[in-house]
Amino acid sequence: MPPSTLPSPAVTCAEYIALLYLLHSVPDPPSRNSIDSLPIRQNGYTLSLLQERSLAGTLAFLSSLKDGPEHIPAVCIQEDPQSAFLNVLLAVNKTKPADGKGVLKTLKLGFERIFALLSQVLDNGTPAMEDQVFTAIISMCSERILCRLRFIPNNMNTPRQPIKELLQEAVNAIRWLEKETVQDTGLLLLSRLFVERAKEVIQLVDAWSKHRKPARLGDLVEGFNGLWRVGGLQDLLGAIPNRIMGPTSRKNLLNIISKVARYREAARFLYRTAKKIPLVRQMKIVFVNLPQNAFQKIPANQYSPTLPSTVSRINAEHRQQWNVGQVCRLLNVGEVEANDQFVHQTRKTLKDAKIHAEIQLLFYCELKNFKLPPRVFCSTKDACFLCNAFIRIYGKIHTPRCHGKLYPGWRLPFSPKPTKIEQRFNRQLANHIRNSLTTLLSRQQKTVYPDPHESTLLTLPFSVTKSGSLALPEAEVGEILQSQTPNISETDQMPFILSNPKALLKPSERTPIASPATPTRDISIQPSKDTTSKTVPSPRGLSSDSSVDNHTLLPGRIVSKGVEANHASPLYEAGHLEVQIEYSTGLSQSTPNSHSRNLSYSIEWLAVGEAERVLEQRASPIFSAESLEGEISHNLDELNCFYITARGSVLKIFLQRSNA
């Protein structure tokens, strides 16, 4: 190719990918994409954007049937107003049009069984249907679950510590931790509950090993879900010294628990979403198939790429001069070897690269020009560096996370004519190369990010378990959570609402959370059987029953007071917790001729011995303020009390309505 002739956009893209890969295989650290940063359309959809993301993320998680890098699926949700169906668009990584047919067929059969069950869900459905959905999920995903539990080898066939040994190691480490942290009541409560649940899971592991039947595997997943619902596991395992249990073992155990538990949570989420939103009962799988010419390749022998010419082109575009020899020296590689690596990778990319599933979804949606296009793409793994970069340039789609790793065997669908988005993408890659070269020369050393975890879990909405306790997912910093209002029984139990419990921690100890919600610092009590139809006033709309701004509680001492309707209590401080009680009667209960009922309450900061007894008996709900985000509602039990814990502080709160 003559030097004056510029390569095609596809060749330029391959060259820039090869050069960027030479500079570093992980150009960026893992990152999260804000869901509210794009001008994504909201009107006309049945599903909210958060609901669409949760649904797509759940289905993407279930679509991971095997461990390994081949045929990675991606999912998006498309509402079809003409047919009243909810189309689940499904794609897998492909080099050729016919790739992945077997995987897609297996996924279709598995999802159709699940969707058939969801189609039978009624507004007043029963938990038995949720269990059937769970059974279908276990059947569909059994091989992947067994691999996660280390009963069968992974794709790399690397030796791994058996799950039973890993759990027993954690139990032994936490028992050691209990002896060293006897004064930390919150940690003591958490550790004892973990040990109890972990021992139950170990028994379930033994039961599965003796009788390998689907029902036993389902029981085992249930056990891991119970272990995950202990809450605060990251903090608990993080408190174990490395000499007692290695950091890799702790990290692996947390990963196993969270992902195996997700299968139970997925069944609950799908069932309850279908119960709440009738359109979700009408889901169907649609395979994404791009035209055959999209997979057309450019012959690699039509030109001769070189590292100096590519760097010179970027030099000219950005009016800068980088010396290839100096760059190679800092990369600790010779110029000839660097050029050979660059040429080999460029040609390999042009010859063997795959079109990733997310890119297929994007181009498919562009071709179809849907009236209500999908707004979220989710894969079994976080988006790679190149997919994330292209989707961000496209600007109409949200993908939750990017793991930051660059796969050099990546390409865009073939286009006979240069497109504007291809050219914009190449400019973006050139900008990243320029920044990388500038940083390299400035630091005089290669920037190396650690190999990332490529798969993380989206946080699902809160839900209430059959026993009435809350399933509390652990949110990562920056995650936007949507609370799910539980079903309220028709008994005379009094519901209460925990508003932004993370904010119960003292201001100096709170972890910053990127959320659009305005933070509050209160626990709201709403004396209504229907918590979905009332709105609790904000603290600014309520008046306090005391002129004192805050009261410091003493361990073991009970404070009993009352609060009038539409008023708030003082702010109580107990160790790491700050609590305020709000009482709103709701509009329907306040009339000129009626007398509002006051709310009597008592708050006790439990001493260590009493806190231990609470753990053993577990007669009332226990909430970890550090594991909650957003707002949740819950019925009081027959004892009219509940417990809140945070970093060693345990509060017992009793509530009772009384006549004014």
Side-chain angles (χ1 to χ4, degrees), residues 99-111:
D99 287 350
K101 282 189 174 181
V103 175
L104 288 170
K105 183 179 179 180
T106 303
L107 284 170
K108 187 173 189 291
L109 290 173
F111 277 128

Side-chain angles (χ1 to χ4, degrees), residues 340-461:
D340 289 345
Q341 290 179 13
F342 170 80
V343 171
H344 173 76
Q345 185 57 66
T346 301
R347 288 177 171 166
K348 184 175 176 60
T349 297
L350 290 171
K351 179 183 177 183
D352 301 325
K354 297 177 181 179
I355 305 177
H356 282 203
E358 297 97 319
I359 301 302
Q360 292 179 56
L361 290 176
L362 189 151
F363 277 79
Y364 180 84
C365 292
E366 276 292 298
L367 287 172
K368 292 297 183 180
N369 193 25
F370 293 117
K371 183 178 180 181
L372 294 176
R375 298 168 292 178
V376 181
F377 290 170
C378 289
S379 176
T380 57
K381 297 180 181 291
D382 297 339
C384 72
F385 170 80
L386 293 170
C387 282
N388 190 65
F390 191 84
I391 290 171
R392 292 186 68 174
I393 285 176
Y394 180 69
K396 304 176 187 177
I397 293 292
H398 168 74
T399 186
R401 287 183 60 92
C402 171
H403 57 62
K405 191 171 183 177
L406 185 150
Y407 294 112
W410 185 98
R411 59 166 292 194
L412 291 172
F414 175 79
S415 175
K417 296 181 180 179
T419 62
K420 290 183 179 180
I421 194 167
E422 278 184 296
Q423 294 169 344
R424 287 173 56 202
F425 181 62
N426 285 343
R427 287 197 296 270
Q428 180 66 24
L429 291 181
N431 285 335
H432 210 100
I433 291 170
R434 179 199 63 187
N435 293 336
S436 295
L437 289 171
T438 301
T439 302
L440 176 68
L441 295 173
S442 173
R443 294 179 178 174
Q444 291 291 294
Q445 63 180 2
K446 185 175 181 178
T447 300
V448 179
Y449 294 112
D451 222 29
H453 273 293
E454 298 178 23
S455 176
T456 56
L457 293 176
L458 275 177
T459 305
L460 292 180

Side-chain angles (χ1 to χ4, degrees), residues 506 548-555 557 559 570-575 577-579 603 605 651:
K506 290 183 179 179
V548 181
D549 290 332
N550 71 297
H551 292 182
T552 301
L553 301 176
L554 298 177
R557 182 172 297 180
V559 174
L571 187 66
Y572 293 99
E573 181 180 314
L577 283 167
E578 289 180 344
V579 176
I603 300 180
W605 183 3
L651 288 184

Side-chain angles (χ1 to χ4, degrees), residues 456-474:
T456 56
L457 293 176
L458 275 177
T459 305
L460 292 180
F462 294 118
S463 60
V464 179
T465 64
K466 297 175 188 176
S467 62
S469 62
L470 285 173
L472 305 173
E474 293 188 357

